[in-house]
Amino acid sequence: DIQMTQSPSSLSASVGDRVTITCRASQSISFFLNWYQQRPGKAPKLLIYAASSLQSGVPSRFSGSGSGTDFTLTISSLQPEDFATYFCQHTYSRRFGPGTKLEI
Amino acid sequence: EGQVVESGGGLVQPGRSLRLSCAASGFTFGDHAMYWIRQAPGKGLEWVSGISWNSGSIGYADSVKGRFTISRDNAKNSLYLQMNSLRIEDTALYYCAKGGTDYGDYTFKSWGQGTLVTVSS
């Protein structure tokens, strides 16, 4: 089974900061990687699909990169509404990473 | 993107059954694969089950196989999850999610707000 890990598990940052979250797969998954944002008490929301494609309506400060086993989600300039938990997910195994909690 | 709204959650004793529903609107429901994903309190996300647009392909997580049954009614724009032999570890917020037209692409494009299932004696 493919395992997904994320680092860090939590991260403190400030409004305006540039932040990078890493996701790693236990074996190559090509570019079949999605990123979701979950604000407190809310449902998850698709941000990035196929490793680097921005979902419609998602601000351009979010970007994704990577292929194979190593992937990153970058937020170029943190906004107050970005403080949330971020999950990566391998598209075909349906498996999610454990999440990265982004805190002020 | 459309909208999905879950219902049917509640408090149930171990071993009992519950049926969840998901009502879809704002998109062509019959064109899309649909999924159930759950989140135990304070925990991460776990895919539970999925169904293709025509019910021809269905899948379950090992943790629920043989106990849960997914179904859909395209005429009613509705998705269902019949949960039998419930266990304490099934306690979670259950989300309904819209997929793409390809069942094998597990990209969850939009999610409902979830319905809470609590299994306790």
Side-chain angles (χ1 to χ4, degrees):
Chain A
D1 283 357
I2 294 174
Q3 303 297 320
M4 308 300 295
T5 58
Q6 289 182 236
S7 60
S9 57
S10 64
L11 175 60
S12 293
S14 301
V15 173
D17 284 354
R18 179 183 180 90
V19 165
T20 298
I21 297 169
T22 297
C23 177
R24 178 163 290 171
S26 59
Q27 62 190 76
S28 177
I29 59 171
S30 185
F31 55 88
F32 298 113
L33 191 282
N34 303 322
W35 288 98
Y36 299 85
Q37 175 195 63
Q38 186 175 33
R39 293 178 177 138
K42 301 296 184 182
K45 171 187 171 183
L46 178 65
L47 296 177
I48 303 282
Y49 62 95
S52 61
S53 296
L54 196 66
Q55 174 69 352
S56 175
V58 174
S60 59
R61 63 181 180 273
F62 291 92
S63 64
S65 65
S67 65
T69 60
D70 295 317
F71 302 85
T72 59
L73 172 69
T74 299
I75 309 171
S76 60
S77 178
L78 274 174
Q79 299 301 301
E81 60 270 27
D82 300 338
F83 292 94
T85 299
Y86 294 84
F87 296 94
C88 63
Q89 179 230 346
H90 174 219
T91 311
Y92 288 103
S93 71
R94 304 153 306 215
R95 196 173 296 271
F96 291 88
T100 295
K101 186 174 184 179
L102 181 52
E103 300 173 297
I104 299 174
Chain B
E1 282 291 328
Q3 183 180 3
V4 294
V5 178
E6 304 91 337
S7 61
L11 174 63
V12 62
Q13 292 179 326
R16 303 299 291 266
S17 299
L18 208 57
R19 189 193 196 207
L20 306 183
S21 299
C22 169
S25 61
F27 66 99
T28 307
F29 179 75
D31 284 351
H32 291 266
M34 297 294 296
Y35 305 96
W36 290 100
I37 299 141
R38 69 184 180 184
Q39 187 171 34
K43 302 296 184 182
L45 298 165
E46 178 189 20
W47 174 83
V48 173
S49 184
I51 187 168
S52 63
W53 67 274
N54 64 351
S55 304
S57 294
I58 286 175
Y60 300 96
D62 288 344
S63 57
V64 307
K65 200 172 294 183
R67 300 187 298 122
F68 290 11
T69 302
I70 192 172
S71 61
R72 66 188 295 162
D73 185 336
N74 288 346
K76 295 183 177 179
N77 290 340
S78 293
L79 176 73
Y80 307 101
L81 187 68
Q82 178 67 42
M83 304 187 295
N84 298 334
S85 304
L86 281 161
R87 303 168 180 169
I88 291 174
E89 56 264 34
D90 294 319
T91 294
L93 188 61
Y94 284 72
Y95 293 105
C96 168
K98 169 192 166 187
T101 54
D102 174 14
Y103 172 72
D105 175 4
Y106 297 94
T107 295
F108 309 119
K109 296 178 183 293
S110 62
W111 303 55
Q113 289 304 303
T115 187
L116 182 62
V117 173
T118 303
V119 184
S120 175
S121 55

